[in-house]
Amino acid sequence: MIKFDIITIFPDQIESFASVGVLRIAQNIGAIDIKAHNLRNWTHDKHKSVDDRPFGGGAGMILKVTPIKEALDQLRTPNSKVILMSASGEILDQDTFRSLAGWDNEKQKYDSTDKHYIIICGHYEGVDDRVREHLIDFEMSIGKYVLSGGELPALILADGITRLLPGVLGNELSPMLESYEGELLDYPQWTRPADYQGWQVPDVLLNGNHKEIEAFRKNLATKLTQSRQNTKK
Ligand code: SAH
């Protein structure tokens, strides 16, 4: 079981996404537990202020260290890892998802010990840097661009990990055959109808010859990978 505790000023965004699809299924079968925690729960002033102006001046507001520290004091357990979503963090990729999910490098062994990820979502101009310096284990980015908050990044992290957990997707093998899992990108696929207004599905996929189909798919995946210049290694 992986437990995600997400600290945010917009818990509704997290709860909405987590209430449907794969994250919902994974909660139903007990593979994950995901909770959004409103940072304002750990404020003590009348206005429940979570942010303040930056020392030294400049535009925008900064999330304060105080409520974040108090939230972590309450949520942290001995096996917790604390992750700060940050535009300047280490950029997420499939290897990171896999290892956070509990798979070893060869995708052979799964470590099923319970894991606990506490994810901090920044907002406004970011987070008081003492959070990064003293309170977290990892700082992660979803890409080289800036969003308005860490909620979408946190959900991307939770989704990317969750779909790799045993039993979450119907077919145990399917996540292991996808783009970025091996050297090749995933092969293109089609479903019915075989002929849609003259747009035809490749014949070889309809003939039931599994060897030929496998070779055809491998060939397509190789061509696609070369054309995108996007291999992992
Ligand atoms: N001033 C910061 C950006 C703050 S954006 C900078 O220039 O780096 C507000 C918050 O959104 C961040 O604290 C972070 O939690 C989240 N965020 C924005 N872009 C992100 C990205 N690419 N990856 C992960 N989190 C991101």
Side-chain angles (χ1 to χ4, degrees), residues 102-142:
W103 289 98
D104 69 2
N105 284 337
E106 283 75 42
K107 291 169 252 169
Q108 307 293 339
K109 275 209 214 96
Y110 182 70
D111 163 16
S112 63
T113 50
D114 287 349
K115 295 165 197 69
H116 183 205
Y117 299 123
I118 303 178
I119 306 173
I120 303 168
C121 305
H123 237 279
Y124 312 116
E125 278 306 306
V127 179
D128 187 309
D129 203 55
R130 286 167 290 189
V131 171
R132 185 190 57 77
E133 198 183 354
H134 300 290
L135 297 176
I136 64 165
D137 296 290
F138 310 110
E139 189 186 6
M140 288 181 181
S141 164
I142 60 164

Side-chain angles (χ1 to χ4, degrees), residues 62-63 84-89 92 120-127 140-154:
I62 307 293
L63 288 188
L84 173 66
M85 300 318 301
S86 151
S88 51
L92 284 174
I120 303 168
C121 305
H123 237 279
Y124 312 116
E125 278 306 306
V127 179
M140 288 181 181
S141 164
I142 60 164
K144 294 185 182 177
Y145 41 79
V146 179
L147 301 171
S148 54
E151 287 72 18
L152 284 171

Side-chain angles (χ1 to χ4, degrees), residues 145-170:
Y145 41 79
V146 179
L147 301 171
S148 54
E151 287 72 18
L152 284 171
L155 288 167
I156 285 170
L157 179 63
D159 183 280
I161 294 172
T162 300
R163 60 193 299 287
L164 296 178
L165 301 179
V168 169
L169 298 188

